[in-house]
Amino acid sequence: MSASIPTVKREDWPKHPRFPAQALLLGSHANFRRISRQLIDAAKSGESLERIGAYYAAWIAAMRSHEAYEEHKAYPYLAKRWGVSFADATEGHHELHRRDRAVREAFLLRDERAPDAREDIVSTLEAHDVALHDHLDLEEEQVIPLLLELSPDEFRRYSYSPIDTLLAELGDP
């Protein structure tokens, strides 16, 4: 069922007839960007590092759930449907995991009284934020045009069907 790969420039997404209904991910991604900024601002403003760390951990758990959806449903379906690779988007998830380990290590080693503890946390959060923005921008550029080009019926099937059913409907590679 592979066809020519759709390309819709980001600035043209709002003009697409199936936007925003078929522009999955954008709302979650906007929240991820916003929370990342809030965490950095909170760390810079002197809020409790313990509280920031707890909020960070909950946020990362939500992001991991989102990544699982992408890697186990969105990427496999769109890859087979359009004949594209999501290796670079998957690598972006791995980079975020590496950045997450650095942030968690900074929180683990923190000592509220140590003069550089907060700076270490801020710098690891900022590095994570850069990786997050890079990944989300790339992922959106890859995924959104493909979702927008699905017919409304195909998008509905995609949204409500399990991945093995969807892949079976697409047939052999």
Side-chain angles (χ1 to χ4, degrees):
M1 190 174 210
S2 182
S4 65
I5 300 168
T7 56
V8 181
K9 292 180 181 172
R10 183 180 289 267
E11 59 268 14
D12 294 333
W13 295 349
K15 297 178 223 160
H16 196 282
R18 291 187 276 281
F19 184 90
Q22 291 183 201
L24 294 178
L25 312 179
L26 293 180
S28 297
H29 287 186
N31 284 332
F32 294 150
R33 287 178 176 103
R34 181 182 51 77
I35 292 169
S36 181
R37 185 76 250 160
Q38 287 175 342
L39 287 163
I40 293 165
D41 291 345
K44 285 181 174 180
S45 72
E47 283 193 40
S48 159
L49 294 179
E50 184 176 343
R51 200 161 146 216
I52 295 166
Y55 189 48
Y56 175 83
W59 174 62
I60 289 295
M63 286 208 324
R64 292 300 175 265
S65 175
H66 180 87
E67 288 172 5
Y69 162 78
E70 292 169 343
E71 290 186 9
H72 298 289
K73 186 169 185 181
Y75 295 174
Y77 179 75
L78 295 172
K80 190 166 185 180
R81 170 64 172 86
W82 297 105
V84 297
S85 170
F86 288 93
D88 49 355
T90 301
E91 176 52 37
H93 288 161
H94 297 309
E95 177 61 19
L96 286 169
H97 290 217
R98 288 187 288 274
R99 297 296 179 170
D100 169 50
R101 284 191 295 278
V103 171
R104 289 177 188 270
E105 184 175 306
F107 274 107
L108 185 63
L109 299 175
R110 75 169 167 45
D111 176 351
E112 299 261 357
R113 294 161 296 167
D116 57 348
R118 187 167 297 275
E119 290 79 17
D120 289 347
I121 289 171
V122 168
S123 69
T124 59
L125 285 171
E126 288 176 331
H128 186 279
D129 185 68
V130 169
L132 176 69
H133 281 260
D134 289 348
H135 167 70
L136 296 179
D137 289 347
L138 173 122
E139 184 175 73
E140 290 166 2
E141 295 288 337
Q142 289 183 306
V143 170
I144 300 302
L146 304 179
L147 290 173
L148 291 175
E149 288 305 308
L150 298 176
S151 72
D153 285 341
E154 185 178 2
F155 181 78
R156 212 172 359 272
R157 275 193 321 278
Y158 165 76
S159 296
Y160 295 106
S161 300
I163 188 60
D164 25 339
T165 300
L166 293 167
L167 295 176
E169 288 174 358
L170 291 176
D172 293 329

